[in-house]
C-alpha cells in the first residue's frame, strides 16, 4: 500500500504561470491548476514525468574525444565519460583559464541566450553573466530572438527603446476596452501565446478581455495567414506571410488618395512625410502603392483594402502588430510602416488609438500595474565591450574577424574559442540548425549546463547537470503580475544535479574569483538579501510585502498593485505638448523619414518604409519549394522545455504541421498522416493536420520539438529550424528571420 504520510501540496510558479504540486518523499507525483487562474494552461502536467526522466543529465559528463585529445570535430557523437564533480570542475576551470590566458576573455562567447526557468535568483542568464564578468568578461549578445529587429528599428522611428514603448507607452486592455472601436491585428493576438511571460503571469485574462470587447461591439480583425491567431469571433483577413508592408502601404495610399490622411497630425508631430509620399504615390518608381498593386502581393481584394482603410479613418482605431512580423527578413518594414500608417490616421496618443506592439505575444503586455522594481541579482560589469546581435551566432562562429554591419556600426566578429551556455537551447532556437551544427565544431571548447540531454547538451564537450526550479528554493516575481511567490524546493536535486549557482561558485573558486562571485553567501543568504532589498524598495513605494519567513509560510501573496485607471502614456504626453515632451528621435517627432537610417546607406533598409520582398515567400515560390513555412510558438508548451517526457506520449511526436486541404490534396496527404517537410537546408518529419483555418500555400509547424538528428538528415521530431533561413532581418536590425522559409511537404 502507498504510504501517503509524507505527501505534501505546495504552489510554485513558472513562465507559464502558477500551479499546485503534490510531492511524495523525493518525487513529484502530480500537478494541478492554480485556483486563482481563470484560464490556466496544461503545460505543468508533464512535469512529474519530465523531472524524473531518464533523459536527465545524471552526472558531470565530458565528451570522450575531447577529454582524450581535445578533439573538437565530433561534437554530437554522443560518447561521454562521467566524472566526479571535483574532477570535472577542475578540468573545466583549467580550460577556461587556458583560453582566457592564451586568447583573452574576448575569446569567450557567453551570450547564452534562452529562457531558462522562472525564479529571480536561480536565473541562469544572471548567473552565467555574473560569473563570466567576475572572471574577466565575455563577448555578450544584444537583443533577443523575440524582438531583436524591433529593438533596432523602433527607436529611430518613435525615439523610445522598443520594450519601454511596449510596456510603458501602450494602452492597457482596460483603456482599449473603453475607447477602441476598430482593432486591426497584424499577426493576430493569440491567447495561447499570452499564457507565457518572462517570470509568469498568474491570472491569464486575454480571452476575458476579448469577451468584453465583443460585448461592446468592437470590430477586431486578425490580419495574417492563420485564423487561429486570434480568438474565435474576430474577423479574419487572410494575407500572405511577409506581405503586410504592402497591405499597410495600400491602406496608406487609400488614406492619401481619398483625402483621409490627418495632415494636421502629420504636420505637427511627424518628420519626413514629404520624402515618403512620392514613394507611396508612385512618383519615384512609377508604381503607386495602390490597392491593385497590393492585391497581387497580399492576396487581399482591392475593395477590401479600400473598405478597411475607410473604416480605420472613421473610427477610433488601434493597429496592433505581433512580434512574429519582425522575426522575418525585412522585419523592420512592417514595424516602421505600421507607425507611419497610425500617424496618417492621426490617432497616436489618443486613448485606444495609434499603434501597439506585441499585445498577446507574451502575457503582461496590456496589463496595468503600479511600477514596482523587480528582484535581480547584480551581474557586475563586463570588462569586454564586444557583443553581437544575438541571432548572428552561427555567422560569428563561421567568420571570425570578418566585418559585419549592425544599426549603423561596422566591426569584426570576435574569434571565439570557448562557448559557454546555461539556460538556453540554441539547437532548438537558432535558424538553419544544420548550419549551426557546422559552425559549432569550430570553438576549442563548449561548456553547457542543462537538466536534460538536449541537442545542445549533446553537442557540448563538458556538460554539467543543472537542477530544475523544482529542486531549489527561489522567489517568483514578474513586474507585469500582481502575485509574489516563494518557490519551494519541492524535491531534492535529482541524481547528481547542482544549482547553476553552485556550479559557477565551484569554478569561480578555482579561477580565483570565488569570494567576488559568492560574496561569502550561500543560496539561501542570497535569497534573503535580495528579498530584503526588494522589500525595502517596495516599502518606499508604499507597498507592503511580507518578510521572507512569512512569505515562506504563506507560499504566495497578492500585491496591491493592479491599476486599471487611465494613465496618459508618453505618446499621450507628446501629443499634448510635443515641444515640452519631445520624442527621443533626432527631430523630436515621429520619423516617417529618418536621415540617420538613410545615411547608413543600407540597400535593405532605406530612409523610409519600403516594400522589400524577402528572398523566400509565396511571391518567390518555386516548384521545389512552393509552400511558405511559418513556425509559431507551440500552444501546449514553452519552447523546447520539458520535451523529454513529451516525446514519450503516444502520437505527440513528430510535431503537427497545419496545412490547407488544397495543398494536402495536391500531395495525396490525409489528416493525421506522417509527412516529410523539406527544402535545400534540411528535412524533418511531421504529422499533418488539415485545416481551413490556414491560407492555401502556407504551412505552420510550431517550434519546440527537440532537434533529433546529429547527421543533418531527417529530424524525426519535427523541429522547424532544420528548414528556416539563417540570415539577419537586414543590416540594420540583424534579427532572426525565423518566419522566412519556403518548403515542400510530401507523404512520408
Ligand atoms: N523557427 C523559429 N525559431 C524560433 C522562434 C520562432 O518563432 N520560430 N522563436 C524564437 C524565440 S522568440 C525564442 S525566445 C527562442 C526560445 O529558445 P530558448 O529560450 O533557447 O528555448 P527553451 O526551450 O526555453 O530553452 C531553455 C533551456 O534551458 C533549460 N533550463 C531550464 N531551466 C534551467 C536552469 O535553471 N538552468 C539551466 N542551466 N538550464 C535550464 C531547459 O531545459 C531548456 O533546454 O526560440 C527562437 N526560435
Ligand atoms: N504557449 C506558448 N506561448 C509563448 C511561447 C511559447 O513557447 N509557448 N513563447 C513566447 C515567446 S519567447 C515569444 S517571443 C512570443 C512570440 O510571439 P509572436 O511573435 O507574436 O508569435 P508567433 O507564435 O511566432 O507568431 C504568431 C503568428 O504570426 C503569424 N505570422 C507569421 N508570419 C507572419 C507574417 O508575415 N504576417 C502576418 N500577418 N502574420 C504572420 C503566424 O500565423 C503565427 O501563428 O510568444 C511567447 N508565448
Ligand atoms: Mo521569444
Amino acid at each position: 500500500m502507498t504510504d501517503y504520510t509524507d505527501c505534501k501540496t505546495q504552489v510554485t510558479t513558472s513562465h507559464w504561470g502558477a500551479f499546485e504540486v503534490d510531492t511524495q518523499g523525493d518525487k513529484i507525483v502530480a500537478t494541478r491548476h492554480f485556483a486563482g487562474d481563470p484560464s490556466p494552461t496544461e503545460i505543468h502536467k508533464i512535469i512529474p514525468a519530465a523531472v524524473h526522466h531518464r533523459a536527465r543529465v545524471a552526472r558531470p559528463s565530458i565528451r570522450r574525444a575531447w577529454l582524450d585529445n581535445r578533439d573538437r570535430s565530433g561534437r554530437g557523437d554522443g560518447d561521454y565519460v562521467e566524472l566526479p564533480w571535483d574532477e570535472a570542475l577542475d578540468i573545466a576551470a583549467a580550460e577556461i583559464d587556458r583560453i582566457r590566458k592564451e586568447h583573452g576573455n574576448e575569446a569567450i562567447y557567453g551570450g547564452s541566450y534562452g529562457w531558462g526557468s522562472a525564479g529571480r535568483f536561480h536565473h541562469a542568464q544572471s548567473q552565467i553573466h555574473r560569473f563570466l564578468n567576475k572572471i574577466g568578461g565575455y563577448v555578450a549578445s544584444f537583443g533577443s530572438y523575440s524582438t531583436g529587429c524591433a529593438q533596432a528599428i523602433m527607436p529611430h522611428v518613435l525615439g523610445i527603446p522598443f520594450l519601454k514603448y511596449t510596456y510603458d507607452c501602450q494602452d492597457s486592455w482596460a483603456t482599449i476596452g473603453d475607447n477602441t472601436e476598430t482593432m486591426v491585428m497584424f499577426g493576430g493576438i493569440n491567447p495561447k501565446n499570452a499564457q507565457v511571460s518572462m517570470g509568469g503571469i498568474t491570472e491569464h485574462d486575454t480571452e476575458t478581455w476579448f469577451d468584453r470587447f465583443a460585448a461592446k461591439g468592437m470590430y477586431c480583425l486578425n490580419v495574417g495567414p492563420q485564423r487561429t491567431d486570434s480568438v474565435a469571433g474576430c474577423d479574419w483577413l487572410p494575407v500572405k506571410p511577409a506581405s503586410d508592408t504592402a497591405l499597410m502601404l495600400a491602406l496608406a495610399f487609400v488614406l492619401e488618395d481619398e483625402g483621409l490622411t490627418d495632415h494636421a497630425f502629420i504636420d505637427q508631430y511627424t518628420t519626413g512625410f514629404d520624402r515618403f509620399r512620392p514613394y507611396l504615390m508612385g512618383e519615384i518608381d512609377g508604381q503607386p502603392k495602390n490597392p491593385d498593386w497590393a492585391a497581387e502581393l497580399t492576396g487581399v481584394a482591392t475593395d477590401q483594402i479600400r473598405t478597411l482603410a475607410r473604416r480605420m479613418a472613421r473610427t477610433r482605431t488601434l493597429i496592433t502588430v505581433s512580434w512574429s512580423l519582425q522575426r522575418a527578413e525585412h522585419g523592420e518594414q512592417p514595424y516602421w510602416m505600421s507607425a507611419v500608417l497610425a500617424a496618417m490616421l492621426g490617432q497616436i496618443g489618443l486613448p485606444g488609438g495609434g499603434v501597439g506592439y506585441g499585445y498577446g505575444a507574451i502575457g503582461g503586455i496590456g496589463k496595468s500595474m503600479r511600477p514596482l522594481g523587480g528582484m535581480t541579482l547584480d551581474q557586475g560589469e563586463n570588462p569586454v565591450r564586444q557583443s553581437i546581435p544575438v541571432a548572428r551566432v552561427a555567422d560569428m562562429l563561421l567568420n571570425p574577424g570578418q566585418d559585419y554591419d549592425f544599426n549603423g556600426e561596422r566591426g569584426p566578429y570576435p574569434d571565439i574559442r570557448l562557448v559557454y551556455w546555461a539556460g538556453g537551447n540554441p539547437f532548438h532556437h537558432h535558424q538553419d540548425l544544420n548550419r549551426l551544427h557546422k559552425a559549432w565544431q569550430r570553438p576549442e571548447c563548449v561548456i553547457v549546463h542543462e537538466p536534460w540531454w538536449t541537442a545542445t547538451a549533446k553537442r557540448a564537450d563538458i556538460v554539467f547537470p543543472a537542477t530544475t526550479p523544482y529542486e531549489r528554493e527561489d522567489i517568483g516575481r514578474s513586474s507585469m503580475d500582481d502575485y509574489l511567490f516563494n518557490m519551494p524546493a519541492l524535491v531534492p536535486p535529482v541524481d547528481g544535479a547542482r544549482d547553476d549557482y553552485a556550479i559557477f561558485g565551484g569554478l569561480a573558486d578555482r579561477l580565483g574569483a570565488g569570494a567576488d562571485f559568492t560574496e561569502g553567501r550561500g543560496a539561501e543568504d542570497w535569497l534573503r538579501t535580495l528579498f530584503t532589498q526588494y522589500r525595502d524598495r517596495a516599502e518606499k513605494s508604499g507597498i507592503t510585502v511580507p518578510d521572507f519567513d512569512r512569505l515562506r509560510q504563506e507560499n504566495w501573496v497578492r500585491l496591491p498593485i493592479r491599476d486599471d485607471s487611465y494613465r496618459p502614456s508618453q505618446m499621450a504626453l507628446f501629443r499634448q505638448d510635443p515641444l515640452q515632451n519631445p520624442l527621443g528621435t533626432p527631430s523630436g517627432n515621429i520619423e516617417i523619414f529618418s536621415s540617420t537610417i538613410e545615411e547608413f546607406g543600407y540597400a535593405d533598409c532605406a530612409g523610409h518604409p519600403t516594400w522589400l520582398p524577402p528572398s523566400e515567400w509565396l511571391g518567390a515560390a518555386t516548384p521545389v519549394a512552393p509552400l511558405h513555412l511559418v513556425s509559431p510558438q507551440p500552444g501546449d508548451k514553452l519552447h523546447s522545455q520539458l520535451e523529454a517526457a513529451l516525446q514519450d506520449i503516444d502520437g505527440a511526436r513528430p510535431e503537427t504541421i497545419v496545412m490547407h486541404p488544397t495543398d494536402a490534396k495536391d500531395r495525396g496527404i490525409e489528416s493525421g498522416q506522417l509527412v516529410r517537410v523539406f527544402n535545400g537546408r534540411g528535412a524533418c518529419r511531421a504529422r499533418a493536420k488539415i485545416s481551413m483555418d490556414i491560407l492555401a500555400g502556407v504551412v505552420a509547424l510550431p517550434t519546440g520539438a527537440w532537434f533529433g538528428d546529429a547527421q543533418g538528415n531527417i529530424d524525426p521530431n519535427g523541429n522547424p529550424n532544420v528548414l528556416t533561413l539563417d540570415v539577419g532581418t537586414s543590416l540594420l536590425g540583424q534579427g532572426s528571420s525565423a518566419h522566412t522559409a519556403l518548403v515542400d511537404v510530401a507523404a512520408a
Side-chain angles (χ1 to χ4, degrees), residues 113 115 145-146 190 192-193 196 226 229 323-324 327 361-362 428-429 630-640 655 701-704 739:
Y113 182 82
W115 272 52
Y145 280 78
S146 318
N190 197 328
K192 66 100 171 132
N193 279 27
V196 159
Q226 295 199 79
D229 286 330
W323 286 350
S324 55
R327 212 174 301 113
I362 55 170
H428 146 70
H429 72 228
V630 292
S631 43
Q633 304 293 13
D636 55 352
K637 60 186 302 218
L638 175 66
H639 311 142
S640 70
E655 182 53 274
L701 176 63
T703 63
H739 284 295

Side-chain angles (χ1 to χ4, degrees), residues 669-701:
I669 294 167
E670 314 252 323
S671 225
Q673 193 173 333
L674 285 183
V675 297
R676 190 165 57 91
V677 192
F678 58 99
N679 62 16
R681 289 179 288 272
C684 67
R685 301 250 176 251
R687 192 179 302 277
K689 177 181 172 187
I690 299 174
S691 167
M692 293 288 286
D693 290 341
I694 193 162
L695 182 68
V698 182
V699 290
L701 176 63

Side-chain angles (χ1 to χ4, degrees), residues 115 117 327 425 429 449-450 472 500 631 639-641 721:
W115 272 52
S117 291
R327 212 174 301 113
N425 188 1
H429 72 228
H449 297 190
E450 249 299 333
R472 61 198 185 210
D500 294 296
S631 43
H639 311 142
S640 70
Q641 300 203 16
N721 281 322

Side-chain angles (χ1 to χ4, degrees), residues 103 114 166 398 444 454 681:
H103 305 285
T166 304
L398 287 167
E444 290 167 25
T454 61
R681 289 179 288 272

Side-chain angles (χ1 to χ4, degrees), residues 246-285:
L247 179 58
M248 292 174 191
L249 281 164
L251 292 166
F253 181 95
V254 176
L255 298 183
E256 202 43 21
D257 192 42
E258 301 191 1
L260 299 172
T261 307
D262 185 338
H263 281 285
F265 184 91
I266 293 289
D267 291 347
Q268 198 177 356
Y269 299 102
T270 74
T271 298
F273 186 68
D274 55 328
R275 300 288 302 269
F276 169 70
R277 191 183 181 283
Y279 168 76
L280 180 67
M281 305 316 283
E283 289 156 18
I284 293 177
D285 55 5

Side-chain angles (χ1 to χ4, degrees), residues 294-317:
E296 172 81 26
L297 297 169
T298 58
V300 181
T302 307
D303 55 341
Q304 272 180 304
I305 300 176
R306 284 201 178 273
T307 310
L308 179 60
R310 290 174 196 143
R311 171 179 210 121
M312 289 168 83
R314 198 173 62 234
T315 55
R316 180 63 55 86
T317 295

Side-chain angles (χ1 to χ4, degrees), residues 484-496:
L484 174 66
F485 294 88
N486 175 244
M487 300 164 68
L490 298 161
V491 288
V494 171
D495 295 324

Side-chain angles (χ1 to χ4, degrees), residues 442-512:
R442 300 195 63 143
E444 290 167 25
C445 181
V446 177
I447 309 179
V448 167
H449 297 190
E450 249 299 333
W452 289 276
W453 280 106
T454 61
T456 303
K458 286 181 180 170
R459 283 168 180 74
D461 301 314
I462 304 176
V463 187
F464 288 120
T467 51
T468 69
Y470 321 110
E471 298 150 49
R472 61 198 185 210
E473 186 179 14
D474 212 335
I475 300 290
R477 165 86 191 113
S478 143
S479 58
M480 305 309 289
D481 194 45
D482 53 347
Y483 284 71
L484 174 66
F485 294 88
N486 175 244
M487 300 164 68
L490 298 161
V491 288
V494 171
D495 295 324
R498 288 190 183 174
D499 300 345
D500 294 296
Y501 177 64
I503 304 169
F504 288 127
L507 290 173
D509 271 344
R510 287 166 172 79
L511 291 163

